[in-house]
Amino acid sequence: MQQQVSSLQLPQWQIIKLTSVGYETVGELLSSTPLELSQDAGIGHKDALQVLQVARTVAQISQQLDTALIPVHQLLQNEQNLNPIVTFCAKLDEVLGGGIPLCKLTEFCGPPGIGKTQLCMQLAASTQIIEECGGCNGSVVYIDTEGSFLPERLYDIANATVEYLKATIKKSNDEETATKLSNFTAESIMKHIYCFRCLSYLEVIATVNILEDFIRDKKRKVRLIILDSIASPFRYSFDDLVMRTRVLNGIAQQLIRIATENELAVVLTNHITMKFNASSDSNQLLPALGETWGHACSNRVILYMENSVRYARLHKSPHRQNATVSFQIKASGIRDGVSTTSDISAADTQNNSKRLKLS
């Protein structure tokens, strides 16, 4: 390693002694034993051990940085090669650029009963669509903090997903893909969804901490982590809001790292809260957990209802234009809503990603 000894965090007298006898780089220090270093530089054995420990730490950090450095064009190519996770609402997929993107955090905010959990269960089934059909063919980690996860409802959505996919492939007369779909059943979908029930924010933190080891098992091939919801364990458990913000940011950063390193998507749900707007003398509905949390996720989608129609508005995205589309919750899962004037047109967005055609 060519880093200069003079740049190390060592006492000045040690640096002078080391450089005066020819130790110019960290690599030269690491090639010596504590005894050799002590005799050459005329320093004590304890000081020699300290110098080598500092050198090893610097070398380790440098190696980690070299490993972490990835050319931007390679990052772009990697993301383009990853199939997004379809929501089965074609209009919403179009707004998102093909579906829920991998390697990123996506948040769905909305009031109770708007369909956040229904959407999460749809995504849990969609994640397991085979790659030949534009899916990820991966398993799912589902962290349930509200007790709203219903296996019976998930089975219905999974069964509808399987039936839709097989019917679509049958129309295309693609026998090879149809053969690969023979093992794609509602039961196989259920077997590859791993549910963690968390009753407190401490359990959420503990679960997130063990996710890395859980995902490391390549046999599982996790492609989606769902946290439904992030708000429930944190909204009323903290008197110190500054501490709550720090804990939430720590969880977000950990999930971002897991998503990036393992090429998976993270989906979180959040509540809606009311804030008084002094300038307009009225109440304003905003996502919960504060403004700082709003910066944690790459994509934020606001779900709301107007005139008995459900809408999804892309509120924040680093590369997609804000837009609003309608959607429905059916027995089969999430589907396109009735076209309204609020919906985007097909010409408003462009989608170059491979995705399942939902027509």
Side-chain angles (χ1 to χ4, degrees):
M1 183 178 177
Q2 298 303 311
Q3 183 171 338
Q4 296 296 307
V5 171
S6 57
S7 67
L8 298 178
Q9 296 295 317
L10 294 172
Q12 190 63 30
W13 66 270
Q14 287 184 354
I15 293 176
I16 293 173
K17 284 198 171 187
L18 291 169
T19 55
S20 65
V21 294
Y23 287 103
E24 298 292 341
T25 65
V26 173
E28 292 171 349
L29 287 178
L30 294 176
S31 64
S32 303
T33 64
L35 180 60
E36 291 172 343
L37 191 61
S38 176
Q39 292 175 346
D40 292 345
I43 60 178
H45 187 70
K46 185 177 180 180
D47 290 330
L49 288 172
Q50 179 189 2
V51 169
L52 289 176
Q53 181 60 44
V54 171
R56 290 191 190 99
T57 301
V58 169
Q60 184 179 8
I61 293 173
S62 178
Q63 185 177 8
Q64 290 174 347
L65 288 174
D66 289 341
T67 304
L69 289 175
I70 303 176
V72 174
H73 78 277
Q74 185 177 337
L75 287 174
L76 178 61
Q77 186 176 12
N78 291 345
E79 290 192 9
Q80 289 176 340
N81 291 334
L82 297 173
N83 290 331
I85 303 170
V86 294
T87 66
F88 269 74
C89 173
K91 295 177 183 178
L92 181 55
D93 289 335
E94 184 179 8
V95 167
L96 292 169
I100 305 298
L102 273 62
C103 303
K104 291 179 175 59
L105 270 62
T106 300
E107 181 187 50
F108 289 93
C109 312
I114 194 63
K116 299 186 295 296
T117 298
Q118 298 287 323
L119 180 57
C120 288
M121 289 192 284
Q122 178 67 73
L123 293 173
S126 303
T127 301
Q128 301 181 51
I129 295 173
I130 62 175
E131 294 177 357
E132 288 80 359
C133 295
C136 299
N137 192 25
S139 56
V140 180
V141 171
Y142 199 117
I143 304 173
D144 176 26
T145 68
E146 297 186 335
S148 55
F149 177 78
L150 301 175
E152 298 87 355
R153 174 57 178 151
L154 177 59
Y155 184 86
D156 292 340
I157 293 175
N159 194 48
T161 301
V162 171
E163 290 180 356
Y164 177 88
L165 202 61
K166 289 185 176 180
T168 303
I169 297 302
K170 186 177 181 180
K171 290 179 181 178
S172 66
N173 296 320
D174 188 344
E175 295 183 3
E176 183 179 352
T177 304
T179 302
K180 292 181 179 180
L181 280 175
S182 59
N183 295 324
F184 186 63
T185 63
E187 288 74 15
S188 69
I189 289 177
M190 300 294 284
K191 287 179 181 178
H192 293 91
I193 298 175
Y194 307 96
C195 184
F196 293 85
R197 181 73 174 96
C198 297
L199 301 175
S200 69
Y201 75 90
L202 292 175
E203 292 183 359
V204 172
I205 295 171
T207 302
V208 172
N209 285 336
I210 66 170
L211 278 181
E212 210 157 0
D213 291 333
F214 185 85
I215 293 170
R216 195 171 287 127
D217 186 346
K218 299 299 182 182
K219 294 179 181 178
R220 295 193 176 104
K221 193 185 176 184
V222 175
R223 284 292 174 263
L224 174 64
I225 296 173
I226 296 172
L227 179 45
D228 181 28
S229 75
I230 186 65
S232 290
F234 290 94
R235 286 189 72 180
Y236 309 111
S237 300
F238 283 84
D239 294 327
D240 188 344
L241 295 183
V242 174
M243 178 58 68
R244 186 186 75 174
T245 300
R246 289 177 181 173
V247 173
L248 284 170
N249 284 342
I251 291 175
Q253 292 303 315
Q254 197 165 355
L255 289 174
I256 290 171
R257 182 171 55 80
I258 291 173
T260 304
E261 292 179 356
N262 297 280
E263 295 184 342
L264 56 83
V266 176
V267 170
L268 309 100
T269 65
N270 192 2
H271 296 169
I272 291 292
T273 188
M274 189 173 291
K275 182 179 180 181
F276 179 72
N277 190 333
S279 60
S280 60
D281 194 27
S282 62
N283 292 321
Q284 184 179 8
L285 292 176
L286 297 170
L289 303 180
E291 294 181 4
T292 303
W293 171 254
H295 299 289
C297 298
S298 301
N299 302 298
R300 170 175 270 182
V301 180
I302 307 294
L303 307 180
Y304 65 96
M305 186 176 289
E306 189 175 289
N307 298 326
S308 300
V309 178
R310 286 183 169 89
Y311 291 97
R313 174 168 178 76
L314 182 60
H315 181 73
K316 172 194 172 188
S317 173
H319 64 285
R320 306 296 301 181
Q321 188 176 9
N322 291 357
T324 302
V325 299
S326 60
F327 70 97
Q328 297 182 71
I329 300 174
K330 295 186 175 183
S332 55
I334 304 297
R335 295 294 185 268
D336 279 321
V338 179
S339 297
T340 67
T341 55
S342 298
D343 286 350
I344 61 167
S345 65
D348 289 334
T349 59
Q350 293 180 347
N351 174 24
N352 296 320
S353 304
K354 295 184 294 181
R355 67 180 179 88
L356 182 67
K357 292 183 179 180
L358 304 173
S359 56

